[in-house]
Amino acid sequence: MRRAIIVALSLSLLIAALPSGAYAQIYRYTDERGQNHYADGLEKIPDGYRGAAVPLGLRNAPVSATAIPVAAKPPGAAMIKYTPGQRIMVDVKINGAVTAQLLLDTGADRTMISPRTLLAAGVSISRPVATGSITGATGTDRIDYVIVDSLEVGEARVGRLAVGSYELASAGFGDGLLGRDFLDQFRITFEAAKGEVHLAPK
């Protein structure tokens, strides 16, 4: 989970660096200081880091290939607008009732939502289905995992998901992180020139 926090802080660098016309695999690599970096294609990674670069399973697709007109958007799809170079904040509906603003984080394995937001959505946080820990700048904290009946981004919906009940102390995270447990249910494409992320059913 520590990796999730580091990646969240670096995500804006990834988006700002994506060219609009290339269809390239996105990779993550770590420098000698432990800092994560991102590149769209192995050829853009310094030679010394290529061997340990990790493909993220995401591609920066050209506009002509991935633009989804509103009238033709398939059921279960969603478009997220963002300002290039800024963090991607996503409006997520919890249990079909309460809307939270979560930071889209392709490096976070699990979605984390603040306890106060979960309580507002009617989620019981007193009986977690699992527990874990998260290590940050202030040390190691316990994190409880609870079940939400559904998470929705536009028409993109995932039912019954175990999410972390945790208050992120760092500024700029909104009500939490939207992680790969949700995102991996969809095909994700970025349109950097237009400031859009598209989620489509797999």
Side-chain angles (χ1 to χ4, degrees), residues 83-100:
T83 301
Q86 302 297 315
R87 294 174 175 176
I88 303 177
M89 303 305 297
V90 185
D91 288 330
V92 179
K93 186 174 288 187
I94 305 169
N95 289 351
V98 171
T99 299

Side-chain angles (χ1 to χ4, degrees), residues 2 45-46 58 60 93 127 137 176 192:
R2 184 176 186 178
I45 299 175
L58 302 174
N60 179 43
K93 186 174 288 187
R127 296 181 179 178

Side-chain angles (χ1 to χ4, degrees), residues 105-123:
D105 187 351
T106 61
D109 294 328
R110 305 294 291 269
T111 294
M112 293 192 291
I113 303 174
S114 70
R116 55 183 168 77
T117 304
L118 290 170
L119 285 171
V123 179

Side-chain angles (χ1 to χ4, degrees), residues 102-162:
L102 306 182
L103 174 68
L104 187 149
D105 187 351
T106 61
D109 294 328
R110 305 294 291 269
T111 294
M112 293 192 291
I113 303 174
S114 70
R116 55 183 168 77
T117 304
L118 290 170
L119 285 171
V123 179
S124 174
I125 64 174
S126 61
R127 296 181 179 178
V129 296
T131 59
S133 62
I134 182 170
T135 302
T138 59
T140 301
D141 295 328
R142 168 177 162 150
I143 180 169
D144 292 330
Y145 290 94
V146 297
I147 298 293
V148 297
D149 292 330
S150 66
L151 289 181
E152 300 172 62
V153 176
E155 294 184 15
R157 181 182 185 277
V158 171
R160 287 194 63 81
L161 188 67

Side-chain angles (χ1 to χ4, degrees), residues 27-29 41-55:
Y27 291 83
R28 181 181 69 247
Y29 65 95
L42 278 174
E43 71 281 357
K44 295 187 179 180
I45 299 175
D47 291 340
Y49 303 113
R50 288 181 186 174
V54 178

